[in-house]
């Protein structure tokens, strides 16, 4: 039964990643047009399908039908196998409830996995003698929420386990169903109840206080988890205000990733996506989408759907604010995807409305031109418009001419606000020391999202005729250089982010001068001292890497603004050592020391 429930969970997520509806035709002025017809919020809608997207969409719809058929079959099996009887034999649970042997079977597969740092908080809640609150495990997909719950169940002593139940919610269930089952479990003496996918309940945001006010207040420990993290935050702001404890799983620092999964190396961390997915690089490639049709399925399913589902049910759909038009015209997903791709730009109107151009492509071209050993202008010769069009198709990002909604600055600000609340984005200052001006740089806490879109760029480049006509050796060298450039950029953001998270009492920023910059500066306001860093995605060391760290003019300006410099460090992938007063430190060592 546990295997059936796990497969149902997987299929319910996968099905939602595909478009729904059917393809219709219209003839206008003797020309045939195709439309996707579907129903949303009880309203019939249709969307024009460009001919070059028709075949891909047909395949996606067919795949959704296949998955839905399998899901319907498993629903039937589940209905037959989940008729758990009460002691009197007259009642059945309305949700999927696992207890006893079935519960152990569900939890047992994770018994050999190491535990995340936040497991201690979950265990402390379960062991607390008197606490009249619910605990919420929330975070984006593949960050370990269900695994934490299963580990907690396995960690219980025999007496506690015998009074523990696990409830799985599926679409269509209501708070009345939950209330019915909780009353039955309470009558049987259950004191520890885990409720998974609770945000699927339409009424949860507006009625979740039932769980704290009635059941947690009577001594039952209730652990909630679900896909829509934003829904939990909305509920905490209203119904569950001061009656819940939050454990957020989205941000996974490198040191925790290495310890839990026993996978070493920052490149692997980036490819894993900064998640607890034991499937490694398949973090993004597990998508059921046909290969290369979409590189953004995680953004769509874990982030955009999260935001839209939560807004739909918060304040009865009255909280879309400036995002209403985007949502009504099916452009909110596209806007969110654009924001994620443009992570290093300000979230302003030009980010959303300018014609999409990949900053990664221009950076890779610049680096290839400047290569000291083998300068190459191949990326200046490729058909950039064609590559960009291919990249847009892969990322499912709409250009201005295809956007129905006139996007103003306010939607961009609100998207950023929700991404911040999901702990997906964090702002860091770039200080231009000559003017004292500060600009914001937005970092993504899950590097796999960035890497996924960068990989889409590489796929687009490989389709270009100029690249195809190169020899295999030269083609691979160029592609590898591009990939290294992109990973280096992600690595710099990752180190800034982890330092910022680990040193909340310090000022962490990037400093730019009229010529040159420090990749990272850490300022201690208590001692009025600072440390300056260069970050290199390389295992080699050369004096050129620390030229700015030894520039007397830059050092003098920095000490005037931030106090005495106590450390000058190059973070890189090689061995740790000292050279000319410069500390070279291995990146893994640095991240594990935070």
């Amino acid at each position: 039964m546990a295997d059936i429930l796990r497969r149902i969970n997987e299929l319910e997520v996968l099905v939602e990643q595909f478009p729904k509806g059917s393809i219709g035709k219209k003839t206008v002025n003797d020309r045939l047009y195709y439309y996707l017809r579907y129903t949303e919020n009880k309203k019939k809608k249709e969307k024009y399908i460009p001919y070059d997207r028709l075949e891909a969409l047909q395949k996606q719809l067919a795949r959704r039908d296949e998955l839905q058929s399998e899901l319907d079959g498993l629903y039937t099996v589940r209905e037959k196998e989940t008729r758990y009887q009460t002691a009197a034999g007259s009642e059945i649970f309305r949700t999927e409830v696992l207890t006893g042997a079935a519960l152990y079977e569900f939890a047992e597969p994770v018994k050999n996995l190491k535990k995340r740092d936040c497991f201690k908080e979950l265990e402390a809640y379960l062991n607390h003698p008197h606490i009249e609150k619910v605990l919420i495990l929330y975070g984006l997909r593949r960050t370990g929420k269900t695994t934490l719950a299963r580990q907690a169940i396995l960690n219980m002593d025999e007496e506690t386990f015998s009074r523990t139940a696990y409830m799985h919610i599926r679409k269509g269930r209501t708070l009345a169903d939950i209330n019915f089952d909780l009353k039955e479990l309470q009558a049987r003496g259950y004191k520890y109840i885990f409720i998974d996918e609770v945000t699927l309940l339409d009424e949860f945001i507006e009625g979740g206080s039932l769980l704290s006010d009635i059941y947690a207040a009577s001594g039952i420990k209730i652990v909630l988890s679900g896909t829509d993290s934003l829904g939990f935050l909305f509920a905490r702001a209203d119904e569950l205000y001061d009656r819940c404890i939050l454990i957020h799983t989205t941000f996974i620092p490198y040191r925790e990733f290495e310890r839990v999964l026993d996978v070493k190396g920052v490149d692997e961390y980036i490819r894993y996506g900064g998640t607890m997915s034991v499937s490694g690089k398949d973090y993004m490639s597990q998508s059921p989408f046909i290969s290369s049709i979409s590189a953004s399925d995680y953004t769509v399913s874990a982030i955009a759907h999260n935001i839209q589902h939560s807004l739909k049910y918060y304040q009865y759909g009255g909280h879309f604010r400036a995002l209403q038009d985007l949502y009504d015209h099916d452009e909110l997903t596209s806007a969110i995807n654009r924001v994620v791709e443009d992570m290093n730009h300000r979230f302003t109107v030009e980010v959303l409305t300018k014609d999409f151009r990949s900053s990664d492509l221009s950076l890779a071209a610049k680096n290839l031109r400047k290569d000291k050993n083998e300068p190459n202008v191949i990326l200046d010769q490729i058909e950039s418009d064609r590559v960009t069009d291919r990249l847009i198709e892969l990322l499912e990002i709409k250009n201005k001419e295809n956007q129905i909604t006139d996007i103003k600055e306010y939607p961009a600000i609100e998207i950023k606000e929700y991404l911040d609340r999901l702990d997906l984005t964090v702002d860091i200052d770039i200080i231009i020391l000559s003017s004292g001006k500060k600009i914001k740089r937005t970092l993504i806490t899950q590097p796999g999202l960035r890497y996924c879109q960068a990989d889409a760029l590489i796929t687009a480049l490989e389709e270009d005729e100029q690249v195809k006509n190169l020899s295999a050796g030269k083609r691979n060298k160029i592609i590898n250089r591009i990939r290294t450039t992109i990973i280096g950029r992600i690595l710099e953001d990752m180190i800034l982010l982890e330092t910022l998270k680990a040193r909340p009492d310090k000022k962490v920023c990037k400093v730019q001068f009229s010529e040159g910059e420090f990749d990272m500066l850490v300022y201690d306001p208590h001692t009025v001292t600072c440390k300056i860093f260069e970050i290199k995605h390389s295992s080699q060391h050369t004096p050129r890497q620390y030229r700015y760290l030894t520039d007397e003019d830059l050092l003098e300006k920095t000490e005037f603004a931030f106090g005495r410099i106590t450390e000058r460090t190059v973070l890189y992938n090689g061995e740790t050592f000292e050279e000319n007063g410069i500390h070279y430190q291995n990146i893994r060592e640095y991240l594990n020391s935070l």
Side-chain angles (χ1 to χ4, degrees), residues 13 16 136-141 145 171 196-202 204-205 224-236 246 248 250 300-314 421-422:
V13 171
E16 290 304 314
I136 295 174
L137 288 171
Y138 78 110
L140 296 183
R141 285 174 46 214
K145 299 183 297 295
K171 287 185 177 180
D196 194 16
E197 297 298 351
V198 70
T199 51
L200 289 178
L201 298 171
D202 293 352
F204 172 70
I205 294 176
L224 306 176
S225 60
T227 303
D228 288 347
S229 305
L230 192 59
F232 283 127
L233 295 177
F234 286 154
R236 192 268 302 266
L246 297 176
H248 200 177
T250 294
V300 171
S301 64
I303 301 167
H305 287 177
N306 183 330
I307 293 172
Q308 292 181 79
H309 183 273
S310 299
L311 289 173
K312 180 180 176 181
Y313 295 110
Y314 182 45
R421 294 195 69 183
L422 289 172

Side-chain angles (χ1 to χ4, degrees), residues 2 14 35 47 95 124 134 146 148 157 164 213 238 271 311 365 407 412 430 441 447 477 565 591:
L14 294 180
Y35 294 84
K47 186 192 303 183
T95 65
V134 300
T146 302
L148 283 165
D157 58 43
T164 299
D213 293 356
D238 286 345
R271 292 189 181 100
L311 289 173
I407 302 175
I430 299 177
R441 179 167 172 176
K477 184 164 187 173
I565 297 171
L591 292 172

Side-chain angles (χ1 to χ4, degrees), residues 1-5 8 69-84 96 170:
M1 184 59 200
D3 289 338
I4 291 174
L5 288 180
I8 286 174
S69 178
E70 181 184 353
L71 186 57
D72 291 341
L74 290 177
Y75 282 154
T76 301
V77 173
R78 179 185 61 186
E79 292 297 332
K80 292 179 180 179
E81 295 193 16
T82 58
R83 297 182 180 278
Y84 297 94
E96 284 71 53
R170 69 177 189 270

